[in-house]
């Protein structure tokens, strides 16, 4: 009787799981902040790998003249049969110059370029193997020295909060006492709210989630910005070998929740919210970019049609109402058809210049 009443669609999650594991996963993480705040060390600590073994450290005189660069490090990680293609996007030179005016612009342009490339790929003929290089999360490192956010921090986050999920990091937390960490966290949260900066928002827990998960999620929300310490050195502490930093007065353990928020950051970034970071990137940030693209292309098509037909601004031409549906279905092919050009047209970069 049970076999007759059993249809079988309850196995769909297992089918999706097998297919996803076979395909593998990808995640792109950007790290930004001035030099010397432990960005490279933290990334190596998070993923237990060495992505910066060939890195060359510049002297003070070289950093003065250095411009902001964008560097990518890709590594394939496998854990219990699950493969992850991890891409780390670094921003050497950010905040190191004497004049840091608009030093965030190369970072913003890089994020937009990844959106543009993905938009072109998904609008093309072969969409089977599209490589997703969109930035899913940006860890922004805030200096522990000073009183809250600097003007550069505010300018950077306000320029990028509509483009990427920003997770603020209070770097080198071992230079602060526990009470100083609490005060600085409170100050940074107040300034983020005051300046209207939209950092990554943790999704609300479902009503059917267990209490342990709800408590863990609440603890993660209250930890923003994450006060972290990075170290790839193994030291001896009370008969145990742990990753930490050895000082004359004792040992700071990286994975001790009482010493820093490293475990909470790793839990959020890898174990609980990695997929949500990708979903927000796809459903919010990329969709906003895509909508702007389509609007810009629609205006260009209408402008070109009006020019060809010598019509007055605002006067409609036959088929004008069909432009947007065409662009939504096949942006490249529709533009090629409407404009009559031999090659697809892409809006100039950045989009604001096309409006």
């Amino acid at each position: 009787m049970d076999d007759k009443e059993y249809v079988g669609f309850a196995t769909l999650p297992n089918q999706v799981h097998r297919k996803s594991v076979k395909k593998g996963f990808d995640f792109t993480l950007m790290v930004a902040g001035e030099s010397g705040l432990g960005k490279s060390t933290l990334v190596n600590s998070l993923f237990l790998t060495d992505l910066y073994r060939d890195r060359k450290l510049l002297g003070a005189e070289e950093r003065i003249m250095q411009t902001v660069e964008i560097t990518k490090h890709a590594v394939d990680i496998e854990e219990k049969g699950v493969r992850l293609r991890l891409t780390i996007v670094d921003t050497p030179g950010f905040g190191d110059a004497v004049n840091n005016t608009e030093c965030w612009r190369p970072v913003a342009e890089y994020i937009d370029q990844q959106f543009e490339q993905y938009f072109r790929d998904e609008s093309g003929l072969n969409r089977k193997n599209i490589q997703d290089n969109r930035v899913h999360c940006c860890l922004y490192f805030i200096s522990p020295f000073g009183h809250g956010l600097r003007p550069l921090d505010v300018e950077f986050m306000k320029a990028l909060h509509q483009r990427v999920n920003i997770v603020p990091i209070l770097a080198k937390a071992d230079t602060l006492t526990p009470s100083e960490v609490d005060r600085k966290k409170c100050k940074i949260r107040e300034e983020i709210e005051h300046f209207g900066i939209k950092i990554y928002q943790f999704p609300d827990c479902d009503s059917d989630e267990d209490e342990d998960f709800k408590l863990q999620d609440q603890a993660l929300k209250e930890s923003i910005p994450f006060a972290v310490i990075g170290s790839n050195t193994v030291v001896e502490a009370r008969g145990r070998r742990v990753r930490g930093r050895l000082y004359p007065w004792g040992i700071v353990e990286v994975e001790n929740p009482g010493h820093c928020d490293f475990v909470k950051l790793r839990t959020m970034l890898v174990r609980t919210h990695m997929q949500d970071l990708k979903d927000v990137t796809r459903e919010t940030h990329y969709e906003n970019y895509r909508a702007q693209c389509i609007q810009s292309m629609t205006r260009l098509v209408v402008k070109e049609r009006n020019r060809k037909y010598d019509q007055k601004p605002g006067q409609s031409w036959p088929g004008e109402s069909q432009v947007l549906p065409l662009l939504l279905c096949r942006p490249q092919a529709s533009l090629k058809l409407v404009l009559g050009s031999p090659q697809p047209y892409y809006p100039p970069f950045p989009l604001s210049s096309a409006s």
Side-chain angles (χ1 to χ4, degrees), residues 116-117 119-125 297 326-338 341 343-346:
E116 179 185 359
Q117 185 60 51
F119 181 68
R120 292 189 181 192
D121 291 343
E122 72 169 2
S123 303
L125 297 177
M297 290 190 295
L326 280 170
L327 293 174
L328 288 171
C329 296
R330 294 289 301 280
Q332 291 184 356
S334 59
L335 283 172
K336 183 177 178 181
L337 175 65
V338 174
S341 61
Q343 297 294 331
Y345 176 82
Y346 298 108

Side-chain angles (χ1 to χ4, degrees), residues 65 92 120 172 201 208 230 264 268 280 282 295 320 342:
M65 303 301 296
R120 292 189 181 192
K172 292 188 175 293
Q201 298 296 317
D208 58 347
K264 293 179 181 178
M268 184 279 295
V280 173
R282 182 185 69 251
Q295 290 172 2
E320 182 177 349

Side-chain angles (χ1 to χ4, degrees), residues 12 71 78 102 105 132 134-135 142 177 209 219 295 323:
L12 280 173
T71 61
E78 185 168 344
E102 294 191 343
R105 190 171 294 280
D132 186 5
R134 295 172 294 184
V135 179
I142 302 169
T177 64
E209 295 285 0
Q295 290 172 2
V323 171

Side-chain angles (χ1 to χ4, degrees), residues 145-191:
F145 314 112
H147 305 281
L149 298 176
R150 300 171 303 165
L152 178 61
D153 300 329
V154 175
E155 187 178 5
F156 177 90
M157 288 192 281
K158 289 189 71 172
L160 268 70
H161 66 175
Q162 300 284 10
R163 291 176 165 93
V164 67
N165 299 309
I166 297 178
V167 177
I169 303 293
L170 180 58
K172 292 188 175 293
D174 50 338
T175 62
L176 303 170
T177 64
S179 59
E180 289 175 335
V181 169
D182 293 337
R183 287 198 300 269
K184 195 168 285 289
K185 280 188 173 187
C186 184
K187 178 69 172 177
I188 291 173
R189 284 195 294 263
E190 290 176 355
E191 292 182 335

Side-chain angles (χ1 to χ4, degrees), residues 71-88:
T71 61
K72 293 173 58 176
H73 305 270
V75 61
D76 292 315
I77 305 174
E78 185 168 344
E79 182 181 68
K80 295 184 179 180
V82 178
R83 292 179 292 108
L84 173 67
R85 177 70 171 179
L86 174 67
T87 302
I88 302 296

Side-chain angles (χ1 to χ4, degrees), residues 105 109 112 163 347-355:
R105 190 171 294 280
E109 289 179 354
D112 285 343
R163 291 176 165 93
F349 180 85
L351 283 174
S352 56
S353 63
S355 57

Side-chain angles (χ1 to χ4, degrees), residues 2 5-18:
D2 291 340
E5 295 179 354
Y6 179 71
V7 177
F9 57 81
T11 64
L12 280 173
N14 296 332
Q15 298 176 38
V16 174
H17 174 76
R18 286 196 301 269

